[in-house]
Amino acid sequence: MDVFFSGSIRGGRSDVDLYAELVEIIERHGTVLTEHVGVEDIEAKEEEEGLSDADIHDQDVAWLRRADCLVAEVSTPSLGVGYEIARAVEGETPVLCLYRPAADHDLSAMIRGSDAVSVLEYETPADVESELEAFLEQHR
């Protein structure tokens, strides 16, 4: 199973450790195509590799097309995450959004209001683990 994990990069990296924990949970069920989202210094690594914005876009879109499902942590608003969710929905790829209600921002109505997107509220990765695993098994 190939899973596209989406989380804020340029929109803010305050949740990077949380992303790493979620990636670990997902990796028990398949391949996380975007495990770099859980890496602290990803932007520096992309720059080192000489990746342009177009390179990053094209690589992510290719991974989205390959993915069996998309799991997004949406507590930190991000234009990129929203774009990835929309592309997944358009491609009829199952989408699960993880949201912490205690976060500084309300969840967008475009996410919560979409019938094509499942939203799971949680406080810690342990809280969401069983439902996340059920989603992954359902879309294997």
Side-chain angles (χ1 to χ4, degrees), residues 7-21:
S8 177
I9 295 178
R10 294 186 183 174
R13 297 296 285 160
S14 60
D15 288 333
V16 67
D17 293 335
L18 175 68
Y19 299 160
E21 287 184 62

Side-chain angles (χ1 to χ4, degrees), residues 48-61:
E48 263 179 39
E49 294 175 19
L51 294 175
S52 69
D53 287 349
D55 294 332
I56 294 166
H57 171 273
D58 294 348
Q59 174 181 275
D60 284 3
V61 168

Side-chain angles (χ1 to χ4, degrees), residues 46-102:
E46 290 171 343
E47 190 174 315
E48 263 179 39
E49 294 175 19
L51 294 175
S52 69
D53 287 349
D55 294 332
I56 294 166
H57 171 273
D58 294 348
Q59 174 181 275
D60 284 3
V61 168
W63 282 330
L64 271 170
R65 288 185 180 129
R66 179 175 155 192
D68 296 302
C69 64
L70 179 143
V71 175
E73 210 302 333
V74 295
S75 302
T76 299
S78 165
L79 294 171
V81 172
Y83 179 84
E84 290 164 350
I85 292 168
R87 292 289 298 248
V89 167
E90 185 67 25
E92 298 183 3
T93 301
V95 175
L96 175 65
C97 290
L98 308 175
Y99 174 68
R100 295 184 327 279

Side-chain angles (χ1 to χ4, degrees), residues 1-49:
M1 166 174 235
D2 290 328
V3 180
F4 189 104
F5 178 77
S6 185
S8 177
I9 295 178
R10 294 186 183 174
R13 297 296 285 160
S14 60
D15 288 333
V16 67
D17 293 335
L18 175 68
Y19 299 160
E21 287 184 62
L22 293 168
V23 166
E24 278 185 36
I25 294 168
I26 296 166
E27 283 178 330
R28 292 185 215 140
H29 300 273
T31 301
V32 179
L33 301 171
T34 53
E35 74 281 345
H36 62 276
V37 175
V39 174
E40 183 71 41
D41 56 351
I42 183 57
E43 287 183 277
K45 288 182 180 181
E46 290 171 343
E47 190 174 315
E48 263 179 39
E49 294 175 19

